[in-house]
Amino acid sequence: MQSLRNSFKDQTSLYIFVSVLFLVGVVFGALMVNALSLEQQQDLGRYLGNFFVTVDQGLNPVQQEAYWDIALAHLKWIGLIWILGFSVIGLPVILILDFLKGVLIGFTVGYLVGQYSWKGLLFALVAVAPHNFIIIPVFIISSVCAMTFSLYIIKNRVLMQKHGSIKQPFMSYTGLTAAMMLMILAVSTFETWVTPAMMRWVTPLLL
């Protein structure tokens, strides 16, 4: 990744920008909870109620899913970002994905807190937060790496300011993405077997 660092010394700025965009998505997602109609809130409430009962009975559907189902759900995001890094038009799409990831997390936590107060916050801390402490940085690192590589392509192929072969930057980009995917596989293990057990500790408070 050294060649990319030398070509784009503002990588730190990209990290800050992507992180802020993600946080804006989180805030937006939390505010979306207030825009739900009464019927939508009731539907979500019934769904969560059934989910909590299922968890409390030890039949958590998350635990029953295959490990690869959970892992692939995360790997698809990273794989899509990796592919978008090869195109000029991929830059704005990567930013949209960063924002949407924040919206999903913000909405989930915002709804739990809005409906169940501190109990919902406690549930979010054990069900949403632990694995996302790793997944979110992985997502941000992958996004910045993809954006950096895309900018490299724009500068060296579109603007014709060639600075050597693209092979080394490509290998570095792909290598880092592969490392992030390995991180996802490890975190998916935690999410598959540890998170459901933690959820069962807290769920009785919500029933």
Side-chain angles (χ1 to χ4, degrees):
M1 207 61 182
Q2 186 63 41
S3 59
L4 291 179
R5 291 197 187 97
N6 292 335
S7 300
F8 303 97
K9 295 182 180 179
D10 60 344
Q11 202 173 36
T12 300
S13 299
L14 286 177
Y15 276 108
I16 294 174
F17 178 75
V18 172
S19 299
V20 169
L21 182 64
F22 172 81
L23 291 175
V24 171
V26 171
V27 174
F28 183 81
L31 293 176
M32 281 180 61
V33 175
N34 297 324
L36 292 176
S37 66
L38 180 61
E39 182 179 356
Q40 290 172 324
Q41 292 181 20
Q42 290 174 341
D43 289 341
L44 280 174
R46 283 192 293 269
Y47 172 80
L48 280 178
N50 294 332
F51 177 78
F52 292 145
V53 170
T54 303
V55 172
D56 189 53
Q57 293 175 349
L59 300 173
N60 187 357
V62 174
Q63 194 173 23
Q64 298 302 318
E65 287 182 25
Y67 164 78
W68 285 108
D69 289 338
I70 294 176
L72 286 174
H74 298 306
L75 290 174
K76 286 177 182 177
W77 283 81
I78 304 300
L80 178 58
I81 290 174
W82 178 73
I83 293 173
L84 291 171
F86 291 100
S87 63
V88 176
I89 62 173
L91 271 174
V93 181
I94 292 171
L95 295 177
I96 291 173
L97 290 177
D98 293 330
F99 180 77
L100 289 178
K101 190 70 170 179
V103 170
L104 290 173
I105 294 176
F107 181 84
T108 301
V109 176
Y111 184 81
L112 286 170
V113 174
Q115 291 295 311
Y116 300 98
S117 187
W118 67 270
K119 296 178 182 179
L121 178 60
L122 181 61
F123 185 83
L125 287 175
V126 300
V128 180
H131 54 274
N132 275 306
F133 277 134
I134 303 297
I135 291 176
I136 292 171
V138 166
F139 190 79
I140 291 176
I141 291 171
S142 299
S143 297
V144 171
C145 187
M147 293 169 64
T148 302
F149 187 75
S150 182
L151 291 172
Y152 180 89
I153 292 177
I154 293 173
K155 182 177 181 180
N156 291 272
R157 293 297 180 264
V158 178
L159 301 181
M160 303 303 292
Q161 299 178 12
K162 296 186 177 181
H163 295 283
S165 172
I166 199 174
K167 180 179 179 180
Q168 183 57 42
F170 167 77
M171 295 300 294
S172 298
Y173 173 45
T174 302
L176 180 58
T177 300
M180 294 299 99
M181 288 184 169
L182 290 176
M183 292 282 290
I184 289 295
L185 293 178
V187 175
S188 296
T189 301
F190 181 93
E191 187 177 355
T192 303
W193 287 285
V194 179
T195 298
M198 297 172 64
M199 290 165 60
R200 284 196 295 271
W201 298 341
V202 179
T203 299
L205 297 174
L206 302 171
L207 297 176

